[in-house]
Amino acid sequence: QLQLQESGPGLVKPSETLSLTCTVSGGSISSSSYYWGWIRQPPGKGLEWIGSMYYSGSTYYNPSLKSRVTISVDTSKNQFSLRLTSVTAADTAVYYCARGSGSYKFWGQGTLVTVSS
Amino acid sequence: DIQMTQSPSTLSASVGDRVTITCRASQSINNYLAWYQQKPGKAPKLLIYKASSLESGVPSRFSGSGSGTEFTLTISSLQPDDSATYYCQQYNSYWTFGQGTKVEIK
């Protein structure tokens, strides 16, 4: 069974860069026809798609975050990563990584990132 | 950008009731519509994909329908375990979630 696990700092200072990694087990991150995505959820609010990467390496970003977001992959470690620059308190959220073929069937448990000085 | 609008935002129903949640897209999404269930402190769970395809292992009381820009999630007989927030998501052009519908049990 595919499993995804987010990891990274739980606290980031305003104006700094948020960096998270999603480690994939039970399957290859190079598997064809799958999207690997990042989704976030501010406390008490709804889900927001951040960006996705196709197995081929193509990336897609939420237009509202595009200038600050980078998704990359490390196939040797079976991981993919999220970088979000110039964070503010509005970026405080639970961040999820997920895999799917459009819809997302497999999700990590999520990791809370708080932006605060 | 494609906007997704869910209604209602909250609903309260009794065990055994038939429950319907609506999701409207700002433009046609070619049935690339998924429904998720999320319980507090948990990751979302995929229920329906491609508007009406039931994900493996999901109880048959859940069903999805619709086309074009109007879609519905129906729970045919509400169960206590169905208390959760439900989200629609389009994946025709990038990805967008609806704002969620909280389902409460009376």
Side-chain angles (χ1 to χ4, degrees):
Chain A
Q1 177 79 333
L2 190 79
Q3 293 187 324
L4 297 89
Q5 178 69 58
E6 304 89 351
S7 60
L11 181 64
V12 181
K13 290 181 169 56
S15 80
E16 294 190 345
T17 296
L18 180 160
S19 295
L20 295 174
T21 296
C22 182
T23 300
V24 179
S25 58
S28 172
I29 201 166
S30 300
S31 297
S32 62
S33 303
Y34 288 119
Y35 292 92
W36 303 88
W38 287 97
I39 297 101
R40 70 180 182 180
Q41 185 170 37
K45 296 188 178 181
L47 300 166
E48 179 182 32
W49 171 68
I50 300 170
S52 298
M53 182 184 67
Y54 197 43
Y55 79 102
S56 62
S58 299
T59 52
Y60 310 86
Y61 300 129
N62 186 322
S64 69
L65 299 170
K66 185 175 183 178
S67 63
R68 300 194 291 132
V69 174
T70 303
I71 294 175
S72 59
V73 65
D74 186 337
T75 55
S76 67
K77 295 182 178 179
N78 223 32
Q79 296 175 333
F80 65 108
S81 299
L82 169 71
R83 288 185 75 248
L84 181 65
T85 62
S86 305
V87 298
T88 69
D91 295 310
T92 293
V94 173
Y95 285 75
Y96 295 100
C97 58
R99 189 201 85 169
S101 52
S103 57
Y104 285 103
K105 178 176 180 177
F106 295 100
W107 293 68
Q109 64 185 25
T111 186
L112 175 62
V113 179
T114 301
V115 178
S116 175
S117 56
Chain B
D1 299 7
I2 298 177
Q3 309 302 318
M4 305 299 292
T5 304
Q6 278 182 244
S7 60
S9 298
T10 306
L11 72 85
S12 182
S14 300
V15 172
D17 282 354
R18 183 181 182 88
V19 167
T20 299
I21 299 169
T22 297
C23 183
R24 179 178 292 112
S26 58
Q27 63 189 74
S28 176
I29 56 172
N30 296 307
N31 290 6
Y32 289 111
L33 189 283
W35 290 97
Y36 298 85
Q37 176 192 68
Q38 187 182 33
K39 296 184 177 181
K42 299 294 187 181
K45 174 186 176 182
L46 179 64
L47 300 175
I48 303 284
Y49 62 95
K50 205 59 165 41
S52 60
S53 296
L54 189 69
E55 178 60 31
S56 175
V58 174
S60 59
R61 64 180 179 273
F62 291 93
S63 64
S65 63
S67 63
T69 62
E70 292 269 342
F71 301 89
T72 59
L73 173 70
T74 299
I75 308 173
S76 61
S77 178
L78 190 67
Q79 299 301 303
D81 189 51
D82 300 336
S83 178
T85 300
Y86 294 83
Y87 293 92
C88 64
Q89 176 208 44
Q90 70 81 19
Y91 50 101
N92 180 67
S93 175
Y94 292 178
W95 289 260
T96 315
F97 289 93
Q99 78 274 24
T101 295
K102 187 175 184 178
V103 174
E104 299 173 337
I105 309 295
K106 284 182 183 176

